[in-house]
Amino acid sequence: MNHVKLVLAGLTLSVLMTACSSSRKSAGRVDGPPPKLTPAPEKKTETKKEAAKNAPFNVPAFAKEVKKSNYNVAIFAPLYLDSVFANSNDIPGRTMPRYVLPGLEFYEGAQLALDSLQQLGYNLKVTVYDSKGKQSVQTLINNRSLDATDLIIGAVSNPELKELSDFAKNKQINLVSATFPNDAGITDNPFLFISNSTLKTHCEALHQYVQDAFASKNIVLFRRNTTFESRMAADFKASYDKMESSKKSRIREVIWNDATTPEEISKYLLADRPNVIIVTALDETGAKSLLRKLSVSSATYPLQIFGMPTWDVFKLKDPEFKGLQVYYSSPYYNDKTDVYSRYVNDYFRRTYRARPSDMAYKGFELTWYFTRLLQANGVYFNSNVANAPKVMTHFNFQPVYIKDNEVPAYFENKNIFIIQKGDSADVKMNQ
């Protein structure tokens, strides 16, 4: 309860209302022939195109230096406050519902980063919005509450991400998607940063790693007969086709289901080289079902099993999983030994008498990372993001182009860590 009171005491949801009006004098009557109309010279259009070509990433706004004495930052997190306190100011059952915790912990980390930066002299006006509150994101946009914002950081999913993205593109405001591992169908917003990498990027990174890590290998991709997993398999194939290497090994694709037997699986394995197994199952039940089938063959065939980013929370404590070499991909890796992680950990233990969660670390890191970019480089820091110093983990934001577009669809964190699951702690494999 003390933890929750401290958090809610510091949580102020304010709405910045802006309004604008325009007026003009009516034109008086003028006698005589109408003025001669001449078309605007073509040179201006060419100048705009040339300006776009000369701007970073062909986005004219990115060539501007817009620095301010103070900046407006908006933080969005799914806090569900209207639901939790719908009937009373007291917390039902004297404990916060579990669905509230991720958003609340993200806010806690972000708030610590903002408080710390303000102590360092940053002049910030910060507004925190409950993305799951009664006042929807679209309502905030319609009543122009966000118009004066210089940076938006959101731990949001759909439909809020798409709504914020459309607004950010229209107003040319940088938007950071902090936690959603998806582009939400967005294909034309160079002001969007996706920090939690998409599955397509994970597939590309896993494929690159397994091709480079093993001199000789038998790569087998196991997928179920679903549209989603078929699309993931296609991403692996596309990565293989793009790879320029004479030493790359082809990917053998196997469709499996609950009725598939270990004996049927063993037909695709070789005894004289590492069998690199790629599993496209995101769900724990499906992943563990296939791991059990593979475990039968592990004594005969050398197996290196690579799974999806959702596998980071899987617990492989069952006896049949003992000895399996299992890996997964992740856009984040925090061994919690750096100065920022220790600072966050110490603060949470003193203030809340609890350890910070991964969401708290993410809230702190992304807020610190992008607010520092804003302060150092101004509103349009996009051309400097590649040189931003590390906080807790390494980010590698790169422009993503759809087809032949000259302007990025968005910027995405392309830095993917390959991590081996361990009995007591997971181990990072790549740098």
Side-chain angles (χ1 to χ4, degrees):
M1 285 297 295
N2 289 334
H3 177 188
V4 173
K5 287 178 181 178
L6 282 166
V7 172
L8 295 181
L11 177 57
T12 304
L13 304 180
S14 60
V15 178
L16 307 175
M17 302 298 294
T18 60
C20 69
S21 62
S22 63
S23 62
R24 63 178 181 178
K25 296 179 181 179
S26 59
R29 180 179 176 183
V30 179
D31 291 328
K36 184 178 180 181
L37 300 179
T38 56
E42 293 293 331
K43 190 175 180 180
K44 290 186 178 180
T45 303
E46 292 175 0
T47 302
K48 288 181 180 179
K49 289 182 178 179
E50 289 174 3
K53 289 287 186 182
N54 293 329
F57 307 106
N58 298 323
V59 180
F62 294 171
K64 302 176 184 177
E65 183 177 82
V66 181
K67 291 190 174 182
K68 302 181 179 181
S69 57
N70 61 287
Y71 293 97
N72 297 315
V73 179
I75 305 286
F76 281 85
L79 300 170
Y80 297 93
L81 296 182
D82 292 325
S83 300
V84 174
F85 300 101
N87 302 314
S88 170
N89 289 330
D90 294 326
I91 300 172
R94 301 187 66 80
T95 182
M96 292 294 281
R98 291 184 63 86
Y99 63 82
V100 174
L101 296 181
L104 183 61
E105 291 162 349
F106 182 88
Y107 160 75
E108 292 171 347
Q111 187 64 58
L112 174 58
L114 292 165
D115 289 345
S116 303
L117 288 169
Q118 287 180 315
Q119 291 176 14
L120 293 175
Y122 285 45
N123 194 357
L124 306 169
K125 182 176 179 61
V126 182
T127 310
V128 178
Y129 296 100
D130 182 357
S131 62
K132 297 298 182 181
K134 289 181 180 178
Q135 195 171 35
S136 68
V137 168
Q138 195 59 55
T139 299
L140 293 170
I141 293 171
N142 291 342
N143 65 25
R144 310 191 71 171
S145 299
L146 303 174
D147 281 10
T149 305
D150 298 309
L151 173 65
I152 303 172
I153 300 173
V156 295
S157 56
N158 260 347
E160 292 85 11
L161 177 57
K162 184 64 167 64
E163 293 168 346
L164 283 173
S165 175
D166 290 343
F167 167 79
K169 178 189 175 185
N170 181 46
K171 296 294 183 179
Q172 298 189 336
I173 299 170
N174 279 318
L175 163 65
V176 180
S177 175
T179 55
F180 194 47
N182 196 301
D183 61 18
I186 299 163
T187 60
D188 59 351
N189 185 4
F191 298 90
L192 172 64
F193 290 87
I194 298 176
S195 62
N196 196 4
S197 312
T198 63
L199 277 174
K200 184 176 186 295
T201 294
H202 283 273
C203 294
E204 291 171 349
L206 276 172
H207 174 258
Q208 185 71 46
Y209 180 82
V210 299
Q211 291 284 6
D212 292 343
F214 303 94
S216 62
K217 62 271 187 185
N218 174 40
I219 304 177
V220 187
L221 184 146
F222 284 88
R223 70 168 180 90
R224 288 171 292 191
N225 192 21
T226 66
T227 302
F228 183 78
E229 292 195 27
S230 176
R231 187 164 62 247
M232 292 180 64
D235 287 337
F236 278 101
K237 289 179 181 177
S239 181
Y240 173 86
D241 292 338
K242 287 192 302 183
M243 186 177 190
E244 296 181 0
S245 173
S246 59
K247 297 181 179 180
K248 66 180 181 180
S249 298
R250 70 184 183 92
I251 302 174
R252 305 171 70 191
E253 185 177 337
V254 178
I255 299 175
W256 71 279
N257 55 44
D258 290 340
T260 303
T261 65
E263 289 73 24
E264 290 173 319
I265 288 176
S266 67
K267 295 177 181 178
Y268 300 94
L269 305 179
L270 302 176
D272 63 343
R273 68 195 65 186
N275 293 278
V276 177
I277 309 300
I278 299 173
V279 184
T280 57
L282 296 177
D283 61 301
E284 186 168 2
T285 300
K288 286 186 173 180
S289 174
L290 183 58
L291 287 176
R292 289 188 178 93
K293 299 175 190 294
L294 287 166
S295 67
V296 176
S297 302
S298 62
T300 306
Y301 303 97
L303 302 179
Q304 304 284 334
I305 304 170
F306 292 82
M308 296 294 105
T310 52
W311 291 28
D312 65 336
V313 296
F314 294 180
K315 303 297 183 185
L316 304 180
K317 301 293 186 182
D318 297 350
E320 60 264 48
F321 301 140
K322 187 175 179 61
L324 288 182
Q325 304 292 308
V326 179
Y327 309 82
Y328 63 91
S329 58
S330 175
Y332 300 104
Y333 181 80
N334 183 4
D335 59 13
K336 301 180 175 61
T337 59
D338 62 275
V339 63
Y340 293 103
S341 296
R342 294 198 303 269
Y343 172 65
V344 173
N345 184 62
D346 291 345
Y347 176 85
F348 270 71
R349 287 184 177 276
R350 290 195 318 270
T351 307
Y352 304 128
R353 300 185 184 277
R355 290 184 299 177
S357 67
D358 286 342
M359 285 294 285
Y361 283 115
K362 289 177 184 178
F364 179 93
E365 177 173 35
L366 288 167
T367 303
W368 188 285
Y369 185 90
F370 280 98
T371 305
R372 186 168 57 180
L373 272 168
L374 179 69
Q375 179 76 11
N377 303 287
V379 172
Y380 301 112
F381 52 73
N382 305 65
S383 61
N384 300 99
V385 72
N387 302 318
K390 171 188 173 184
V391 182
M392 296 174 183
T393 191
H394 284 285
F395 292 117
N396 179 23
F397 286 99
Q398 295 293 328
V400 174
Y401 295 93
I402 304 298
K403 296 183 179 178
D404 297 325
N405 288 356
E406 296 181 348
V407 174
Y410 47 78
F411 286 79
E412 182 183 359
N413 174 28
K414 293 290 188 177
N415 196 39
I416 301 295
F417 297 98
I418 308 301
I419 302 173
Q420 183 176 10
K421 295 194 75 69
D423 293 335
S424 57
D426 293 351
V427 180
K428 181 179 65 170
M429 302 303 296
N430 60 336
Q431 298 300 318

